[in-house]
Amino acid sequence: NIKPNIIVVLSESFWDPTVLPHLAYSDDPISFFREMQEKYISGKMVSPVFGGSTANVEFEILTGLSTKFLPQGAIAYQQFVTKPIPAIPSLLKTNGYVCTAIHPYHEWFYKRGQVYQYLGFDKFYSLKDFEDAEIRGEYVADLEVSKKIISVVKETEEPSFIFAVTMQNHGPYPPNRYKDTEKDIIIKGKLSSESLEIIATYTQGVYDADKALEYLIKNIDIIDEP
């Protein structure tokens, strides 16, 4: 009869930049993630999209359906989810869960505000619910998403299913997104200065995502719920 809280974090553009050849990093940008890999089940995921169309990744995760059979360039949320359909949140609701979606961007984007209701979510925290949040670069910091997840777990008496999509490390990756004083990883290698700056910006976002994951895990662990 134990119904554990279930938390899914879809981390924007999360990838291991250290697999790139001919580059040296001053520190491992995803050190906590690697600790988790050693302790728990892990693996690699092939994304159905690259360079955009995040909503189609969400659609596949939440429904188990493939976007392979949609017309090229189609966004499932915008053109095909027009009524309630079976999905993880709608299934869990029938088992006593409160289902919450979190994404610190506009609720109208990709019609998430409407589609999340069709998928069975009870609540949706969008950009308007992050008014006083820290901005890292151009978007709401990943750390703020972790804090929101923790607050939802604490405030919800019933078992929680939380689906969070981060925004901080969304591309493109201009060299001036983070100030030099904010960069935690120094990268050297046989690439043009422009390419190194792009990789440095991306890597800083991954580093922040890793720290946000660490904050989430350590604070969830001290909550007395399964």
Side-chain angles (χ1 to χ4, degrees), residues 51-148:
S53 305
T54 303
N56 277 352
V57 183
E58 292 182 42
F59 175 79
E60 293 202 356
I61 291 171
L62 291 170
T63 66
L65 301 173
S66 175
T67 55
K68 179 179 180 180
F69 305 104
L70 298 183
Q72 186 174 1
I75 303 295
Y77 279 9
Q78 291 178 304
Q79 292 138 322
F80 294 96
V81 183
T82 58
K83 60 182 180 180
I85 63 173
I88 291 175
S90 60
L91 174 65
L92 289 175
K93 278 181 69 172
T94 64
N95 285 275
Y97 278 76
V98 173
C99 301
T100 304
I102 300 172
H103 181 49
Y105 202 58
H106 303 290
E107 65 177 325
W108 51 260
F109 200 66
Y110 287 136
K111 294 174 63 178
R112 285 187 175 97
Q114 182 178 14
V115 170
Y116 282 161
Q117 293 182 47
Y118 290 151
L119 297 180
F121 284 105
D122 300 290
K123 302 176 183 177
F124 174 29
Y125 293 99
S126 64
L127 182 60
K128 62 181 172 54
D129 301 299
F130 287 83
E131 289 183 355
D132 300 320
E134 176 191 3
I135 303 298
R136 283 283 286 159
E138 301 173 29
Y139 303 107
V140 172
D142 283 1
L143 181 60
E144 297 290 344
V145 176
S146 293
K147 291 178 179 178
K148 181 69 74 176

Side-chain angles (χ1 to χ4, degrees), residues 9 14 32-34 36 142-143 146 207-219:
V9 178
F14 187 83
F32 181 76
F33 184 80
R34 292 197 206 283
M36 299 289 288
D142 283 1
L143 181 60
S146 293
Y207 175 89
D208 287 353
D210 188 67
K211 294 303 177 186
L213 176 64
E214 183 177 14
Y215 180 90
L216 173 64
I217 297 297
K218 290 184 176 180
N219 281 275

